């Protein structure tokens, strides 16, 4: 089979790259800073929650897996502060320790946004559907081994290193069953809906309905000679 006719294959590394891009896309906007990830990925045999803050979320559907984010205290506090300061909160009102419940709540919210961004892209790009459960957050002082609570025939696990704007480090771990998506028909990936455009469209339709009704009423009266 020549290269022109070779099918497009989307495998584990492609899924991982899409997930990594979701992490940077969400955190860059949320914190108004630059988060980046390493160009090298590490093969691992198991996923673990590690100090100082561990977050994980399971997803299911077109394929099953587990996403883990392990933050150092410094990385978690930098992201937490950047997020709330960008929303207009005063620095004096922020928590001062990564063990505060407020920090865990913010990190859980951001992880929910990350996985939501990821599942949306997967739906558009791979024409499949996956769902996520509620992210879980744990403040840890020692390593905890965490495995996917499902049967994986050919499990694969990867770890990627991320860097914040201040070069604080956190890690993403992904565990999924070995899978490949093979394109059999050409299609264009759906674009992300623009909320502003949707609002304008709804407003235009709302304004257009009364005018259309008025025109119909006028035509009816004219036909009756009135």
């Amino acid at each position: 089979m020549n290269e022109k006719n070779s099918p497009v294959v989307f495998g584990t590394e492609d899924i991982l790259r899409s997930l990594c891009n979701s992490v940077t896309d969400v955190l860059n906007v949320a914190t108004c800073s630059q988060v980046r990830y390493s160009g090298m990925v590490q093969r691992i045999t198991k996923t673990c929650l590690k100090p100082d803050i561990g977050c994980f979320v399971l997803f299911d559907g077109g394929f099953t897996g587990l996403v883990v984010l392990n933050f150092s205290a410094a990385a978690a506090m930098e992201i937490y502060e950047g997020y709330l300061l960008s929303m207009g909160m005063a620095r004096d009102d922020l928590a001062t320790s990564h063990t505060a419940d407020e920090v865990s709540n913010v990190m859980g919210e951001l992880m929910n946004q990350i996985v939501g961004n990821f599942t949306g892209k997967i739906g558009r790009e791979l024409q499949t559907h996956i769902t996520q459960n509620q992210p879980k957050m744990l403040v840890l002082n020692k390593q905890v081994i965490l495995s996917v609570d499902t049967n994986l025939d050919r499990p694969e696990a990867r770890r990627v290193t991320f860097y914040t704007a201040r070069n604080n480090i956190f890690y993403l771990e992904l565990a999924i069953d070995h899978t490949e998506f093979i394109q059999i028909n050409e299609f264009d990936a759906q674009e992300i809906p623009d909320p502003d455009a949707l609002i304008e469209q709804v407003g235009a339709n709302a304004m257009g309905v009364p005018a259309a009704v008025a025109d119909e009423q006028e035509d009816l009266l004219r036909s009756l000679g009135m």
Side-chain angles (χ1 to χ4, degrees):
M1 181 178 294
N2 58 40
E3 183 177 352
K4 182 178 180 180
N5 295 325
S6 297
V8 176
V9 179
F10 199 95
T12 300
E13 268 64 42
D14 300 296
I15 294 174
L16 177 63
R17 184 184 300 110
S18 181
L19 177 59
C20 289
N21 289 336
S22 290
V23 174
T24 56
D25 290 347
V26 169
L27 294 185
N28 287 347
V29 172
T31 63
C32 295
S33 63
Q34 192 67 32
V35 175
R36 66 189 191 281
Y37 61 91
S38 171
M40 299 295 291
V41 56
Q42 182 181 1
R43 292 179 184 270
I44 56 178
T45 58
K46 58 178 178 255
T47 56
C48 300
L49 287 176
K50 297 180 179 179
D52 293 298
I53 293 182
C55 325
F56 70 95
V57 60
L58 288 161
F59 54 85
D60 199 3
F63 55 91
T64 302
L66 169 73
V67 177
V68 176
L69 284 172
N70 290 312
F71 295 93
S72 65
M77 291 302 293
E78 179 182 348
I79 293 171
Y80 159 78
E81 292 174 358
Y83 179 48
L84 294 187
L85 290 175
S86 69
M87 296 177 63
M89 289 192 63
R91 184 174 292 276
D92 292 341
D93 296 332
L94 302 183
T96 57
S97 172
H98 73 280
T99 59
D101 291 340
E102 184 181 350
V103 177
S104 294
N105 292 337
V106 166
M107 302 309 290
E109 177 183 344
L110 290 174
M111 185 162 191
N112 198 43
Q113 293 180 29
I114 289 168
V115 181
N117 180 288
F118 169 66
T119 57
K121 285 194 299 183
I122 289 298
R124 294 189 301 271
E125 297 174 358
L126 300 185
Q127 295 192 334
T128 189
H129 178 71
I130 56 176
T131 57
Q132 67 185 82
N133 69 356
Q134 191 66 23
K136 305 296 188 299
M137 313 291 300
L138 293 173
V139 178
L140 305 166
N141 56 16
K142 62 181 179 180
Q143 179 171 305
V144 176
I145 297 176
L146 181 71
S147 61
V148 181
D149 186 20
T150 188
N151 293 323
L152 297 180
D153 296 328
R154 300 171 62 191
E156 294 187 331
R158 304 285 189 271
R159 180 186 293 129
V160 180
T161 304
F162 282 76
Y163 304 89
T164 67
R166 300 177 195 165
N167 285 324
N168 290 311
I169 295 176
F170 64 96
Y171 300 93
L172 177 143
E173 296 183 4
L174 170 68
I176 61 173
D177 209 347
H178 175 77
T179 185
E180 289 183 345
F181 287 84
I182 302 171
Q183 181 177 327
I184 58 175
N185 292 318
E186 292 186 1
F187 64 90
D188 294 326
Q190 298 178 0
E191 296 183 356
I192 302 175
D194 185 348
D196 294 333
L198 292 176
I199 292 174
E200 290 180 4
Q201 181 179 356
V202 171
N205 291 340
M207 294 176 62
V209 170
V213 172
D215 291 341
E216 291 180 1
Q217 292 177 341
E218 185 176 346
D219 292 340
L220 176 60
L221 294 174
R222 189 181 299 110
S223 68
L224 296 175
M226 299 175 65

